Amino acid sequence: MINPHNFDIMDPQNDKFKDECGVFGVYSSRPMDVASVTYYGLYALQHRGQESTGIAVANGEEIKAHKGLGIITEAFNKEDLERLRNANGNISIGHVRYSTAGSKTIENSQPLLSSTKLGPIATAHNGNLVNGDVIRELLEDGGHVFHTSVDSEVITSLIARGSKRGIERAVIDAISAVRGSFAMVIMTKDKLIGVRDPNGIRPLCLGRYEEGYVLASESCALDAVGAEFVRDVAAGEIVVIDENGIKSYRYSENTSCQTCSFEYIYFARPDSTIDGLDVHTTRVKQGEELFKEYPIDADLVVAVPDSGIPAAMGYAKASGIPYDIGFVKNRYIARTFITPSQEMRERAVAVKLNPLKINVKGKRVILIDDSIVRGTTSKHLIDSLRRAGALEVHFLVASPIVKYPCYFGIDTPYRSELIGANKSVEEIRETIGCDSLGYLSLEGVYASCSGRRNFCVGCFNGIYPVSAPMEALDDNLER
């Protein structure tokens, strides 16, 4: 899906894979302002989704929620947060969303609330189900009416159908029926539940907070609220938190943690630690591995801000070539920035990123970014460096060539829109106009991750932890 705010040329983020979603949950053994804790936790996870935000609070009897479109400061005002505080709850979950499945409407915003025989349930989901449509159709054939188009409602409906067996059994049965990627937080009136898929594709961690616990997509959200990191929720694990403490269930025997490799390349915040790997450190090491594979004679290493900075630092450290600022970023362009005309877009590269001429003029420059998806932004950044006086521009990418879409919670273009799926490296180099082009090898990615190889790398080699549905594959081939 192409971003409707079509000013790709000015914003490097529009030539990236789109972030998935972020989830957060907090359980306290006593009444406290759990809504505000969730608010600040989601604020730290805002990079994982900017289309909608929601928070739900449980107080032992009922669940109250507020959801809105946009980032958290747009979706919530003081009065909204105050209403949730007045619920006097001790459990809360929250969600920031990017619409990987389902359109951008308030109905599709999460957490989703449902009434069951066990009482109210709220769910928030990061990921994507590859058999969600099949289960939805089966439930509809049985008379179930869906109110949204998101996978989360499929899971919630399965939980509700099995609620007579108790919430924990209902969750286990529901999760066992679905395939794909999911890191979920589920809230009843008196329990907080965390779930991670059997392949651990999407991250989820557990933290200790005052007289309770926190669940979050990334550890940076724990830091934001002052929680202490305890551990990552394991692949195929369900964590149930209530007044009796924590219980853990392994609902799948065939578990193998294969975290999405793009969490370490681009998605996660650099101050997070995911499944034992420090994100910033892996990105710096990716730059060091790039130097091993592409030792270029140059005068300056620069980055595409902000995502290319750690790898550029690593390359500079390994090569001894100075690292400096190559582009000045305008940080005050709002999300509602008016889309200019095509002619103005062609001229206005510098609205978002402007080359620092004093640094690059007369220099042989190595430009480093974390990935290339369509290549549109790369071409214009290289052109702008040449206009600023760079003698040579060598472009290095701190990840392998992206050749395949993702089916597990990342909004990726169809293969026809992936430049790496349709052109050779030399053809890409000619298209974006650099003097040389190099991509980090898959072995280089593994080396940057302390030699670990247990990652989902389907977007690079087409081999996925969970088989993609045939209709999705056919759809990509047709386009």
Side-chain angles (χ1 to χ4, degrees), residues 13 15-17 19-20 47-48 202-203 218 259-270 272 274 277-287 289-290 304-312 368-373 396-402 410 439-449 455-461:
Q13 306 315 309
D15 195 18
K16 302 289 186 186
F17 280 170
D19 299 347
E20 324 101 286
H47 60 287
R48 299 187 72 88
R202 301 268 71 89
E218 294 183 37
T259 317
C260 170
S261 57
F262 250 90
E263 293 287 354
Y264 302 100
I265 293 167
Y266 173 66
F267 287 132
R269 251 178 50 167
S272 288
I274 296 176
L277 290 174
D278 179 81
V279 173
H280 175 74
T281 299
T282 63
R283 292 176 184 172
V284 172
K285 287 182 178 178
Q286 284 155 15
E289 293 299 319
L290 268 177
V304 177
D306 292 319
S307 56
I309 292 175
I368 296 182
D369 203 359
D370 66 277
S371 59
I372 300 179
V373 176
L396 296 180
V397 185
S399 64
I401 303 172
V402 175
I410 299 171
Y439 287 84
L440 184 63
S441 67
L442 200 49
E443 289 299 321
V445 172
Y446 294 146
S448 71
C449 294
F455 302 99
C456 177
V457 291
C459 56
F460 303 131
N461 63 9

Side-chain angles (χ1 to χ4, degrees), residues 114-330:
S114 179
S115 297
T116 75
K117 292 179 179 179
L118 291 170
I121 293 177
T123 58
H125 171 219
N126 168 210
N128 209 45
L129 304 182
V130 297
N131 67 340
D133 290 342
V134 174
I135 296 177
R136 178 185 292 266
E137 188 173 339
L138 289 172
L139 291 172
E140 287 175 335
D141 289 345
H144 186 85
V145 177
F146 284 88
H147 302 286
T148 76
S149 58
V150 297
D151 286 341
S152 310
E153 190 177 8
V154 172
I155 299 175
T156 303
S157 300
L158 290 174
I159 294 172
R161 283 168 62 90
S163 60
K164 62 184 178 181
R165 302 185 63 186
I167 184 61
E168 294 170 19
R169 186 72 247 176
V171 170
I172 292 172
D173 290 346
I175 295 304
S176 299
V178 298
R179 291 191 302 112
S181 65
F182 43 90
M184 295 186 66
V185 287
I186 303 166
M187 181 176 66
T188 69
K189 60 184 180 180
D190 57 5
K191 296 180 189 291
L192 173 64
I193 302 171
V195 184
R196 197 170 178 196
D197 70 74
N199 296 105
I201 298 172
R202 301 268 71 89
L204 188 67
C205 64
L206 172 71
R208 180 84 188 181
Y209 183 75
E210 295 185 7
E211 296 179 41
Y213 294 92
V214 169
L215 292 166
S217 290
E218 294 183 37
S219 62
C220 66
L222 305 184
D223 298 334
V225 301
E228 178 187 358
F229 177 84
V230 174
R231 63 178 178 87
D232 292 285
V233 175
E237 182 184 13
I238 297 175
V239 175
V240 180
I241 305 169
D242 59 19
E243 61 182 4
N244 298 314
I246 295 183
K247 285 187 288 186
S248 172
Y249 301 90
R250 291 298 183 96
Y251 64 90
S252 175
E253 294 180 0
N254 300 317
T255 61
S256 173
C257 189
Q258 299 181 66
T259 317
C260 170
S261 57
F262 250 90
E263 293 287 354
Y264 302 100
I265 293 167
Y266 173 66
F267 287 132
R269 251 178 50 167
D271 52 337
S272 288
T273 299
I274 296 176
D275 292 323
L277 290 174
D278 179 81
V279 173
H280 175 74
T281 299
T282 63
R283 292 176 184 172
V284 172
K285 287 182 178 178
Q286 284 155 15
E288 295 173 358
E289 293 299 319
L290 268 177
F291 174 68
K292 293 178 183 178
E293 297 182 15
Y294 303 98
I296 297 171
D297 185 17
D299 304 308
L300 182 68
V301 178
V302 302
V304 177
D306 292 319
S307 56
I309 292 175
M313 294 170 60
Y315 190 98
K317 176 184 175 183
S319 66
I321 301 171
Y323 164 78
D324 210 334
I325 296 172
F327 292 94
V328 175
K329 183 176 182 179
N330 187 337

